[in-house]
Amino acid sequence: MTSPHYRFTAHALKRYPTWTPAAKRSAHTSAPPPPRSRLQKYARRTLYTGLGIGTIWALDTNFNASAITRNIRTVHTCVRIATDYSINFTPSKSESIPQLHERVAERMYDLITSNGGLYIKIGQAMGANTAFLPKPVQDKFQSLFDDAPQVPYSVIESVFRSEFGRPPSGPDGVFEIFHEQAIASASIAQVHKAKLRGSDRWVAVKIQKPDVVRQTWWDLTTYKGVMWLYDYWFELPVFFLVDYISDHLRQELDFVQEAENARRTAEFVRADPNFAQRVHIPDVYAEYSTKRVLTAEWIDGVRLSDREAVLRLVGEKPPLPSAQPVRPLQGGAHAIMKTMVELFSAQMFSWGWVHCDPHPGNVLIRPVPGRPTQPQLVLLDHGLYVSVSEDTRRQWASVFKAMLAGDRAEVEAVTAEWGVGLGMGDLFASFALMRPVRLKGARTGPPLFPNGDATDYERGVQMKAALRNFLVDTDRMPKVLAFLLRNMRMVQGNNQSLGSPVNRIRITATYASRALAKTPNLSFAQRLRAWWHHVLFQSVMLSSDAVFFWVRVRQYLGQMFGFKAVGFEDELENMMRRTAKSTLGLEINKDMFSG
């Protein structure tokens, strides 16, 4: 017998085919809400996305030193630059290429200064050889200084508690007195003045900024990627230096290594009678130093960057009316620059241990203790050094000497070992010496620039071709040369800032030639021949002395009779700029070689 419920259900299904028990159940529930509008969906998605981005940004800012944000900024800038070049660097837009270079230079500068930290160091490393880059890029890189706002004292105190387990000062502090206001602040560290407990000795305390450590891996990884892309896209031979530069930038973050660098340099100075009194390396207090804090002897002196104060110190400018009368240092600016050029020449050619950041802010001038009229050069900041092998030192001395003697065969023999293209000796010598060089003998190899009246687009294409011909095998190029040339440019700039009181080229060449004569393991006959060649080379360099003497006389006459007369370094720079423009089509910034 069929149940009434079954008969009702069957009847209902026949009469209402779409009616089901499920429908019956839903009939007693409320109607579904109307669908959300597209605007509401987008608004909700935008809100969630914004909250997510805001959360990531806050975490990155507070716990990751803005590393992700900085790298997004880098990638964005590089994509804009690459896109701009790919669209606008064309033959049809040749007239607007100078504006393209302006935009690129501005973007690069804004990126480096916005990110700060290691980006400043990376930019300076790139800027050491900007002569091959467009003039707007040169202009921007010349204003890339290593300075930065100082971090608050609370941050410094946290570094001390992390490193020493106690604050910088106070009853249980590391120092008896610690000045909370920094006396100098750079991209990766800042310096405070302090006084040792139970002593009258004052010290300079260099503290690393905490954000730098967290940013290092991100910054160097991005730097490597960007250089690879520029090497690949624009065919610029820059990538081969990336690992070498990155390794040395990392070393600058290790203050234990910096202390060791200072100790080693001080040993070289003390062992050389020529520098034992004329140069001083501040002592480091190991018991107050860690990987992130470096404590060194406090030195009162005048920074070389303060040109007017240096000239007053040596008696070449009248003292300030309010200053106490002091006896001027003997020898004037000549004695100071002679010491500096000799010191860094000895580092390159004799010691094989080279300070790579001799900018004027890292050099102090003071009297020798106990000898108030004798000038002494104090070298600071020993974070960046390179070690030069005996073979590279010999090759560098040999090619340096040959460049000045005009010996094309020797220059091209050595540079060929370094992977430099055939016939590129003149170009290599000109930019190594920072003066126009025409080597003796016929030049071989492809022309540097076959079209002298090229458009901006054609010059760009020709420059890339010249660079490809210049560095044909980057694996063989001694990477240390990048830092040696940086060192020489800075020393040149220091000499130039004081009016070029010494013949830098002659002094450096003398050290190079003497180093070859002192090459170890020579036989008696070889040693005798090497010294004879050294004597002959000194006679060749008399022509350089004659030019230098005439320029100095002209400077003195200009001071006496009121007309403008440039110094020796300025004269070389002007010659270099004219030669670069006429033969290479390069527009070199007037401060390119100021260091």
Side-chain angles (χ1 to χ4, degrees):
M1 182 176 176
T2 305
S3 69
H5 174 73
Y6 174 80
R7 289 197 303 271
F8 173 78
T9 303
H11 175 75
L13 288 173
K14 286 181 180 179
R15 188 167 183 178
Y16 307 104
T18 60
W19 191 89
T20 64
K24 176 185 176 184
R25 288 192 299 270
S26 65
H28 296 286
T29 62
S30 60
R36 292 193 301 268
S37 69
R38 183 174 297 178
L39 180 61
Q40 288 176 317
K41 290 180 180 179
Y42 288 154
R44 180 168 294 186
R45 291 174 185 173
T46 302
L47 177 62
Y48 291 157
T49 302
L51 288 174
I53 292 174
T55 301
I56 293 173
W57 177 83
L59 292 173
D60 184 49
T61 301
N62 293 293
F63 301 103
N64 199 33
S66 301
I68 296 175
T69 304
R70 296 161 81 249
N71 282 280
I72 291 174
R73 186 185 295 128
T74 300
V75 172
H76 176 255
T77 300
C78 292
V79 168
R80 290 181 66 194
I81 290 173
T83 303
D84 205 353
Y85 263 117
S86 63
I87 295 173
N88 296 306
F89 189 74
T90 62
S92 62
K93 298 182 179 180
S94 181
E95 293 183 356
S96 63
I97 286 178
Q99 288 75 34
L100 169 63
H101 293 327
E102 289 277 0
R103 292 195 300 273
V104 169
E106 194 70 37
R107 288 167 186 163
M108 292 174 65
Y109 182 81
D110 289 344
L111 170 66
I112 291 171
T113 53
S114 296
N115 281 354
L118 273 186
Y119 273 74
I120 300 293
K121 295 292 184 182
I122 292 170
Q124 290 172 338
M126 294 167 61
N129 293 284
T130 56
F132 286 112
L133 298 177
K135 187 174 182 296
V137 180
Q138 297 175 27
D139 293 338
K140 280 296 182 183
F141 271 94
Q142 293 312 307
S143 59
L144 193 59
F145 299 109
D146 188 12
D147 56 4
Q150 58 179 280
V151 298
Y153 174 72
S154 59
V155 175
I156 298 301
E157 184 175 3
S158 70
V159 173
F160 265 79
R161 290 188 180 277
S162 173
E163 297 295 301
F164 298 102
R166 48 197 177 129
S169 60
D172 62 338
V174 176
F175 300 104
E176 182 178 325
I177 300 174
F178 185 89
H179 292 178
E180 295 186 8
Q181 186 73 19
I183 60 170
S185 180
S187 55
I188 66 173
Q190 63 190 45
V191 178
H192 294 251
K193 188 175 182 179
K195 183 174 180 290
L196 299 182
R197 287 191 175 278
S199 170
D200 60 354
R201 287 177 293 174
W202 288 88
V203 292
V205 187
K206 181 178 179 180
I207 303 105
Q208 190 175 115
K209 298 177 178 178
D211 285 353
V212 174
V213 176
R214 293 195 288 268
Q215 294 165 350
T216 298
W217 183 88
W218 294 89
D219 290 351
L220 294 181
T221 301
T222 304
Y223 165 59
K224 187 172 184 177
V226 169
M227 290 299 100
W228 181 86
L229 290 174
Y230 273 79
D231 199 307
Y232 179 78
W233 283 340
F234 303 114
E235 302 176 60
L236 297 176
V238 293
F239 186 70
F240 79 102
L241 283 171
V242 166
D243 287 338
Y244 187 77
I245 290 175
S246 296
D247 288 344
H248 283 80
L249 290 176
R250 287 191 194 94
Q251 290 178 23
E252 283 200 82
L253 302 180
D254 185 350
F255 289 175
V256 173
Q257 180 63 50
E258 180 172 344
E260 174 59 21
N261 293 346
R263 184 200 62 77
R264 184 176 178 186
T265 305
E267 285 185 357
F268 276 116
V269 168
R270 285 193 295 267
D272 193 324
N274 190 37
F275 301 113
Q277 291 295 318
R278 295 196 294 156
V279 177
H280 180 70
I281 309 299
D283 294 330
V284 174
Y285 295 89
E287 63 271 33
Y288 300 108
S289 299
T290 69
K291 196 167 185 175
R292 295 199 293 162
V293 176
L294 179 70
T295 302
E297 173 188 9
W298 177 267
I299 301 291
D300 286 311
V302 176
R303 289 190 183 270
L304 194 65
S305 54
D306 190 347
R307 179 179 180 274
E308 296 299 313
V310 170
L311 294 179
R312 286 194 295 269
L313 187 65
V314 298
E316 295 185 11
K317 288 272 188 181
L320 294 174
S322 59
Q324 294 181 349
V326 294
R327 297 171 62 185
L329 301 181
Q330 294 178 359
H334 177 274
I336 291 171
M337 283 313 306
K338 185 172 185 290
T339 298
M340 171 171 282
V341 177
E342 288 183 350
L343 173 65
F344 291 110
S345 298
Q347 289 184 358
M348 275 196 296
F349 299 117
S350 301
W351 303 349
W353 180 244
V354 184
H355 186 296
C356 296
D357 205 12
H359 67 73
N362 282 340
V363 179
L364 296 178
I365 307 300
R366 70 167 184 175
V368 175
R371 301 171 64 184
T373 62
Q374 299 300 311
Q376 186 179 71
L377 185 151
V378 181
L379 188 59
L380 309 176
D381 196 348
H382 300 272
L384 183 57
Y385 272 79
V386 291
S387 183
V388 190
S389 69
E390 180 67 37
D391 286 344
T392 301
R393 253 187 292 160
R394 177 185 52 77
Q395 289 176 320
W396 178 227
S398 177
V399 78
F400 195 93
K401 180 179 175 182
M403 288 187 297
L404 290 169
D407 187 347
R408 180 182 297 277
E410 179 64 17
V411 170
E412 297 197 344
V414 175
T415 55
E417 292 183 40
W418 290 349
V420 175
L422 185 65
M424 293 290 167
D426 298 273
L427 185 61
F428 179 88
S430 295
F431 282 96
L433 295 177
M434 293 157 281
R435 47 163 277 194
V437 175
R438 290 288 180 271
L439 301 173
K440 298 173 185 175
R443 181 182 173 275
T444 57
L448 292 177
F449 290 99
N451 183 2
D453 299 320
T455 65
D456 286 305
Y457 172 79
E458 290 169 339
R459 273 197 292 269
V461 173
Q462 292 165 356
M463 176 58 66
K464 288 198 293 185
L467 287 173
R468 286 196 300 271
N469 292 330
F470 183 73
L471 284 179
V472 295
D473 189 351
T474 56
D475 289 338
R476 291 157 58 189
M477 172 65 70
K479 297 175 180 60
V480 70
L481 284 180
F483 286 107
L484 297 184
L485 293 175
R486 168 189 168 90
N487 175 290
M488 290 179 61
R489 284 197 175 92
M490 287 190 175
V491 172
Q492 180 196 21
N494 294 338
N495 189 35
Q496 189 173 6
S497 69
L498 293 182
S500 307
V502 299
N503 185 349
R504 173 186 55 86
I505 296 240
R506 169 61 184 270
I507 294 172
T508 307
T510 298
Y511 268 81
S513 181
R514 188 185 298 140
L516 289 173
K518 291 182 176 181
T519 301
N521 304 321
L522 293 181
S523 67
F524 177 77
Q526 290 173 325
R527 181 82 61 198
L528 191 61
R529 185 162 53 250
W531 278 108
W532 173 242
H533 288 163
H534 174 67
V535 172
L536 291 178
F537 180 70
Q538 294 303 300
S539 65
V540 170
M541 291 303 296
L542 288 175
S543 60
S544 173
D545 284 334
V547 174
F548 175 76
F549 178 74
W550 163 241
V551 172
R552 291 295 285 173
V553 168
R554 195 172 58 187
Q555 281 182 282
Y556 288 130
L557 293 176
Q559 292 173 1
M560 291 175 59
F561 297 104
F563 64 87
K564 185 178 180 180
V566 300
F568 188 59
E569 300 287 6
D570 298 284
E571 191 68 41
L572 293 178
E573 179 187 299
N574 291 335
M575 291 169 59
M576 185 66 188
R577 293 173 63 207
R578 290 193 296 268
T579 300
K581 178 66 175 176
S582 61
T583 63
L584 305 178
L586 285 176
E587 220 27 88
I588 295 183
N589 180 276
K590 67 182 180 64
D591 297 321
M592 175 63 223
F593 303 119
S594 66

